[in-house]
Amino acid sequence: MILTVTLNAALDITYRLPRLRPHGTNRVTEVSERPGGKGLNVARVLASLGHRTVATGFAGGGTGEALRALLADTGVTDALVPVGGASRRTVAVVDEATGDTTQLNEPGPTVSPAEWDAFLGTYRELLDGARAVALCGSLPPGVPVDVYARLTRAARTAGVPVLLDTSGEPLRRGLAARPDLAKPNADELAALTGSTEPLRAARDARRRGAHAVAASLGPDGMLAVTADGVWQAAPPQRIAGNPTGAGDSAVAGLLSGLVEDLPWPERLSRAVALSAATVRAPAAGEFDVATYEELLTRVVVTDHPSAA
């Protein structure tokens, strides 16, 4: 099975409206709710791809109950650890006139030392049957900032490959624990390294400890810097829609490719096709199957011209 970790799980709420009018009254035409947070989005896509997936992290309060009820219908095994505080909500407001999305993210519940210890026990038990683990997203209050470094070291001790997808100080510290793959986006790489040139920044991130770095470049696809080479993958055309969760689908593509031992170009093709297909889907953690199948054979993967 594949294990995903979402320490700051959320109930994702998507509002769709004809046009967003700031400072005015907006009438919502469609509302959807999904279990969310980066790792849960990854888990749902992996389950849709046919991989047995277990999701752990924290969930609490009425929001946590709602997201767990929704998770039960996704094919993902729920191993979330209860907390006393209420899980956060994230609200995406989709302006259908422009295609733009405005995102509102709550901070999440404060995790107590006892709740943290309970999670660590669950995590170590789950590693025993895992083929790979994804450590994803932001940290709720009360969780130590070096948490992803600790979880990476525990997974490596258990012989389980690690994909790290976070930002800021948790990313910097997590890289030092030598994850098998880090998946930042271009902005996160720039904040980490000070470089806005993706290849240079990805190489810098790899020198900081990651065995490989796959950088999301938004609508321009993905750049991978690995021990075996450097590749760039791009969709055949730009896809219009809601980009929320597109990076999480890319993580699912990379992680499934890792456990299936696919060559890097095939991993990138899958990741970019899934990411683009998610832009066409109504909510994060989903992808448009027809778009995915169409793009999978059309994603352009090239050896990076600056790889030498």
Side-chain angles (χ1 to χ4, degrees):
M1 63 89 168
I2 299 175
L3 176 63
T4 70
V5 174
T6 313
L7 297 175
N8 212 5
L11 180 65
D12 282 350
I13 304 168
T14 302
Y15 292 143
R16 292 183 174 271
L17 41 87
R19 181 180 293 277
L20 177 62
R21 292 181 171 84
H23 314 298
T25 300
N26 291 271
R27 298 192 179 278
V28 176
T29 56
E30 181 182 340
V31 181
S32 62
E33 293 185 346
R34 300 290 188 276
K38 294 180 72 66
L40 290 186
N41 292 337
V42 172
R44 289 164 54 210
V45 174
L46 285 168
S48 296
L49 293 172
H51 286 276
R52 189 167 73 88
T53 310
V54 176
T56 191
F58 297 109
T63 310
E65 291 177 3
L67 76 87
R68 294 182 87 160
L70 292 167
L71 188 63
D73 296 327
T74 65
V76 175
T77 299
D78 177 355
L80 295 166
V81 175
V83 291
S87 296
R88 66 190 180 124
R89 294 164 296 183
T90 65
V91 179
V93 181
V94 181
D95 183 333
E96 294 184 334
T98 64
D100 293 335
T101 300
T102 300
Q103 192 80 17
L104 306 173
N105 294 340
E106 296 179 356
T110 298
V111 176
S112 72
E115 290 164 344
W116 173 243
D117 287 343
F119 164 77
L120 283 178
T122 297
Y123 177 70
R124 292 187 179 111
E125 289 177 6
L126 291 170
L127 284 176
D128 186 50
R131 299 177 64 194
V133 59
L135 307 175
C136 301
S138 63
L139 305 182
V143 170
V145 72
D146 66 343
V147 57
Y148 286 135
R150 299 187 196 185
L151 299 182
T152 296
R153 285 192 289 268
R156 290 181 58 79
T157 298
V160 179
V162 179
L163 185 154
L164 177 63
D165 182 15
T166 187
S167 60
E169 188 65 10
L171 173 61
R172 187 183 71 80
R173 297 201 187 197
L175 288 175
R178 301 186 60 79
D180 296 83
L181 174 61
K183 205 288 302 172
N185 62 35
D187 290 340
E188 291 162 351
L189 267 182
L192 173 74
T193 67
S195 175
T196 57
E197 201 289 303
L199 179 58
R200 179 180 300 171
R203 282 179 164 155
D204 187 342
R206 187 165 177 263
R207 284 193 293 269
R208 291 168 186 252
H211 291 273
V213 175
S216 291
L217 305 179
D220 294 324
M222 180 167 282
L223 172 70
V225 178
T226 80
D228 300 320
V230 179
W231 293 272
Q232 187 159 354
Q237 72 270 348
R238 296 205 170 198
I239 305 295
N242 177 10
T244 305
D248 304 331
S249 291
V251 169
L254 292 169
L255 201 58
S256 63
L258 185 155
V259 299
E260 295 171 30
D261 199 27
L262 296 180
W264 268 104
E266 291 184 37
R267 298 186 201 185
L268 292 173
S269 292
R270 181 180 292 182
V272 169
L274 280 170
S275 180
T278 297
V279 174
R280 286 270 178 89
E286 301 175 358
F287 61 94
D288 184 84
V289 175
T291 300
Y292 168 62
E293 292 177 347
E294 175 198 350
L295 293 179
L296 188 58
T297 58
R298 299 178 58 208
V299 172
V300 178
V301 183
T302 57
D303 290 330
H304 200 282
S306 302

